[in-house]
Amino acid sequence: MSIGENAPTKNAEILQWVEEVAALTTPDKVEWSDGSKEEWSRLAQLCVDGGSAQWLNSEKRPNSLLFRSVPADVARVEGRTYICSEKEADAGPTNNWCDPVEMKKTLTDISKGCMKGRTMYVIPFAMGPMGGPVTQYGIEISDSPYVVINMQIMARVSLDVYTEIEKKGYVKCVHTVGYPLADGQEDVSWPCNEEKYITHFPSENMIWSFGSGYGGNALLGKKCFALRIASTMAKKEGWMAEHMLILRLTNPEGKNYHVAAAFPSACGKTNLAMLQSTVEGWKVECIGDDIAWMKQGPDGRLYAINPEAGFFGVAPGTSMASNPMALKSLDENCIFTNVALTDDGDVWWEDMDGPVPSHLIDWKGNDWTPESGEKAAHPNARFTAPAAQCPVICPDWEKTEGVPIDVFIFGGRRTSIVPLVHEAFDFAHGAYLGATAASEPTAAALDVKAIRRDPYAMLPFCGYDMGDYMQHWLDMGEKLGDKAPKCFYVNWFRKTAEGKWLWPGFGDNSRVLKWMCERVEGTVGAQETAIGMIPNEGDIDLTGLDVSAEDMAELLKVDTAEWKSELDSVKGHLERFGDTCPKGMMDQYEALKARLG
Ligand code: OXD
Ligand code: MN
């Protein structure tokens, strides 16, 4: 097959790579994606005509599609995700590792002819605003039109990428659903393979994904590139690729503060990214909801961009009550996957506002009623929405140089022990708070053993040894010096002994953000405790909020005995990284232990 004639690039290396992938996978056709609206509409219609998608009611949800996957392909598959570094030790104890030569052989064997009967799309994309100093480029080869139309929303797909690649290089991404079609064989609505491999080759900046069509397994710009591969690039080049939302707070005087925050899944990250402030005069705008790339700028401060162009959010639980700005981002031009369909052709999911419909088509395509006893939408059902549609998107969200970060926040879901907010003594202590961040499963009781430590919320996304990752945080702190962001740790989820939530959360979290900005400004004080600095009584603005003084005291309580009871778990967590656990982290641990007495 000659693929060069209508190729939009003359780059011999790219042409050769595309040729090689085509020779291995034998698609019927190669199409060079250009990222145009025309292309989006054509491929969307192709998915509809082929039976894998349907248009939603255009009066309710214009230009939007519904896809249904299959039960075997509904989420990221961490057990099938590999870091194929040259040396096993470089993947660290928390990643699956496979020798790169061996993995390539396995993938080559199973990929022979795997695109037969399909079109192979070549998708050039930018992670970050085109031409920016932090932006990186990639090319994803995929045999899934669903991937092409999702990538068009999640990344910046454009032929201009080929020009930028000449200056900056690119990450090679190969994706196949692994479901070839024999001559005359009819396609299924969601092709995928029982066998799945999500593999990363950090020394070659390459990603190879086989067998899944879903989310982070298939949209390779997101977790695979923007976190796993980018984290290895960032370590080498002295910048940061983090699983963090980015937001801007503006105070009543019009001064801006920028916050980047890392939380494990199910801790309300998207809600915080689009929060509506309940503090008079304070405004919040969203820059990104999932990933931050950050580099030191000419003034020595740390500048962040959102490398993505869209939101790939969990639909269930998103409502006017929990996150109106996310919901309003979904009015049109969206792709929904595994949500339920209403009788009037719109979408529905659990915990949406309003009454539960009496009849739906569920995510498996079956009739559903409230008596069905099953969820109508899959719990990991997703929306893919252009970030530009978010009503509170920051006017500077695409600024090529990014925004200067004032505050880092870490957090997790803890029903006890961890106060509403505490501030790190310095950046190295902040790096320790991130390295030891912990969360309880949503339904957990007050059982310390149930907590999962998820350093920087990067456990599933770090492209190298997590111990080295912790060292990278300490190194960045050294490099940034007194320009480093101030670090905080929050816990919105503390409960009373009777199981009542102590903090209202959602928009009222802006009150805690305000305190952080005032700490940055030096206009409020704080009290020193063994674990860090906590607000003085009365310093968190509670105007108009009905939280009693006793509850506030409980929310900010630091019980040394409780904290001591966690020391073994922290030590075990750090020791897991053996030699690569930085001395600086162990020093932080020892210092905490000493302070707890
Ligand atoms: C996500 C995740 O989908 O973190 O963003 O799992
Ligand atoms: Mn995420």
Side-chain angles (χ1 to χ4, degrees):
M1 188 183 335
S2 172
I3 50 110
E5 293 141 40
N6 54 0
T9 173
K10 294 200 166 30
N11 183 308
E13 202 258 342
I14 296 175
L15 293 175
Q16 192 191 335
W17 170 58
V18 174
E19 194 102 44
E20 273 168 24
V21 177
L24 174 68
T25 61
T26 66
D28 285 4
K29 218 163 64 165
V30 174
E31 232 180 82
W32 296 84
S33 162
D34 61 11
S36 63
K37 277 208 165 70
E38 178 282 322
E39 176 180 72
W40 196 92
S41 303
R42 181 169 53 80
L43 294 184
Q45 192 58 48
L46 186 80
C47 293
V48 171
D49 294 344
S52 67
Q54 71 181 82
W55 290 110
L56 295 168
N57 182 335
S58 61
E59 275 162 32
K60 299 195 165 278
R61 202 77 61 174
N63 202 33
S64 296
L65 291 166
L66 168 64
F67 282 82
R68 293 189 193 104
S69 79
V70 291
D73 198 21
V74 291
R76 287 185 292 101
V77 281
E78 288 174 20
R80 306 298 302 163
T81 300
Y82 294 85
I83 302 297
C84 304
S85 45
E86 310 291 323
K87 288 195 246 129
E88 180 168 7
D90 289 342
T94 57
N95 282 312
N96 299 313
W97 176 82
C98 181
D99 174 74
V101 175
E102 198 183 309
M103 181 57 86
K104 275 190 208 162
K105 184 173 175 325
T106 303
L107 286 168
T108 303
D109 287 348
I110 55 173
S111 297
K112 282 189 184 122
C114 70
M115 294 191 191
K116 185 176 158 49
R118 302 191 180 279
T119 299
M120 178 176 120
Y121 301 93
V122 184
I123 315 161
F125 64 97
M127 296 308 290
M130 199 69 78
V134 191
T135 299
Q136 303 269 349
Y137 303 91
I139 300 177
E140 176 162 350
I141 292 178
S142 174
D143 56 4
S144 160
Y146 171 82
V147 165
V148 184
I149 59 175
N150 273 275
M151 283 295 284
Q152 276 205 29
I153 297 175
M154 293 307 299
R156 292 159 176 93
V157 177
S158 152
L159 293 178
D160 296 341
V161 165
Y162 290 112
T163 314
E164 297 300 322
I165 281 177
E166 298 303 325
K167 297 176 248 170
K168 232 172 152 172
Y170 69 107
V171 172
K172 285 189 169 87
C173 311
V174 180
H175 167 254
T176 174
V177 293
Y179 194 95
L181 296 167
D183 290 333
Q185 183 185 345
E186 219 181 292
D187 204 355
V188 290
S189 65
W190 184 272
C192 64
N193 195 302
E194 261 171 51
E195 213 170 339
K196 295 179 177 60
Y197 288 93
I198 319 298
T199 71
H200 307 74
F201 300 84
S203 59
E204 295 168 63
N205 286 346
M206 187 177 93
I207 299 157
W208 194 343
S209 165
F210 180 97
S212 167
Y214 204 84
N217 301 332
L219 313 177
L220 302 185
K222 194 175 178 65
K223 304 296 187 183
C224 297
F225 178 170
L227 290 176
R228 297 194 193 96
I229 292 291
S231 64
T232 61
M233 292 173 159
K235 165 89 172 161
K236 258 184 257 156
E237 297 164 10
W239 51 283
M240 305 175 92
E242 296 296 332
H243 190 202
M244 285 180 156
L245 65 91
I246 312 168
L247 64 83
R248 167 183 286 178
L249 264 136
T250 307
N251 76 7
E253 289 74 49
K255 181 159 182 189
N256 293 332
Y257 302 89
H258 297 101
V259 174
F263 299 93
S265 306
C267 291
K269 198 154 146 230
T270 304
N271 294 350
L272 184 64
M274 298 171 199
L275 144 163
Q276 288 197 289
S277 169
T278 56
V279 191
E280 178 87 34
W282 286 72
K283 185 170 80 178
V284 177
E285 289 167 324
C286 174
I287 294 170
D289 78 327
D290 197 38
I291 299 174
W293 283 359
M294 295 171 280
K295 247 183 200 168
Q296 195 171 25
D299 62 358
R301 299 181 72 192
L302 191 63
Y303 283 76
I305 65 160
N306 170 10
E308 302 192 278
F311 306 129
F312 185 67
V314 177
T318 306
S319 66
M320 286 306 278
S322 68
N323 194 341
M325 295 302 121
L327 211 58
K328 286 190 177 148
S329 309
L330 310 181
D331 282 351
E332 54 187 338
N333 311 316
C334 286
I335 300 169
F336 296 90
T337 309
N338 289 346
V339 302
L341 178 71
T342 63
D343 289 348
D344 58 1
D346 201 3
V347 290
W348 190 86
W349 47 76
E350 275 69 22
D351 296 325
M352 220 187 206
D353 314 84
V356 174
S358 57
H359 176 260
L360 294 162
I361 302 296
D362 72 10
W363 73 276
K364 292 179 185 158
N366 299 325
D367 283 306
W368 181 95
T369 65
E371 289 74 46
S372 296
E374 283 187 37
K375 299 233 187 273
H378 186 277
N380 192 39
R382 297 283 177 148
F383 53 77
T384 317
Q389 288 182 187
C390 178
V392 290
I393 197 78
C394 176
D396 286 336
W397 81 283
E398 298 193 278
K399 209 170 168 180
T400 52
E401 66 271 36
V403 295
I405 297 298
D406 300 283
V407 165
F408 274 146
I409 305 178
F410 304 106
R413 176 185 287 271
R414 296 298 306 271
T415 46
S416 64
I417 303 180
V418 182
L420 176 64
V421 59
H422 61 290
E423 177 190 323
F425 296 119
D426 54 28
F427 191 85
H429 182 224
Y432 169 83
L433 297 184
T436 54
S439 209
E440 286 160 19
T442 38
L446 305 178
D447 177 0
V448 178
K449 287 185 212 75
I451 69 170
R452 175 181 134 112
R453 299 217 175 256
D454 185 352
Y456 312 98
M458 281 292 280
L459 209 51
F461 308 119
C462 180
Y464 57 99
D465 186 308
M466 185 56 86
D468 292 332
Y469 199 83
M470 294 175 186
Q471 183 61 53
H472 184 51
W473 266 80
L474 294 170
D475 294 344
M476 286 302 299
E478 292 285 316
K479 188 156 116 172
L480 292 163
D482 64 0
K483 303 263 174 40
K486 247 185 187 316
C487 299
F488 298 85
Y489 195 100
V490 300
N491 175 26
W492 317 129
F493 302 95
R494 197 154 168 166
K495 286 184 174 178
T496 61
E498 294 74 44
K500 176 177 89 79
W501 297 114
L502 280 160
W503 182 248
F506 300 105
D508 287 312
N509 293 337
S510 56
R511 299 169 189 273
V512 178
L513 300 183
K514 178 188 171 197
W515 178 74
M516 294 173 184
C517 295
E518 289 167 347
R519 288 293 294 157
V520 168
E521 220 45 80
T523 52
V524 290
Q527 324 167 28
E528 189 167 336
T529 73
I531 63 161
M533 311 294 289
I534 63 161
N536 286 312
E537 200 187 326
D539 275 350
I540 292 199
D541 186 342
L542 299 177
T543 316
L545 187 67
D546 193 16
V547 175
S548 69
E550 298 79 62
D551 280 359
M552 213 51 216
E554 182 64 22
L555 273 163
L556 294 172
K557 192 176 80 185
V558 178
D559 181 314
T560 27
E562 284 176 342
W563 279 86
K564 273 190 195 168
S565 74
E566 297 237 314
L567 282 171
D568 282 350
S569 128
V570 179
K571 188 149 189 257
H573 162 66
L574 292 174
E575 281 174 351
R576 193 171 169 204
F577 302 100
D579 290 349
T580 65
C581 174
K583 179 175 175 309
M585 285 298 160
M586 275 302 179
D587 291 348
Q588 288 291 336
Y589 166 79
E590 292 298 341
L592 170 65
K593 194 171 163 191
R595 288 193 303 268
L596 288 169

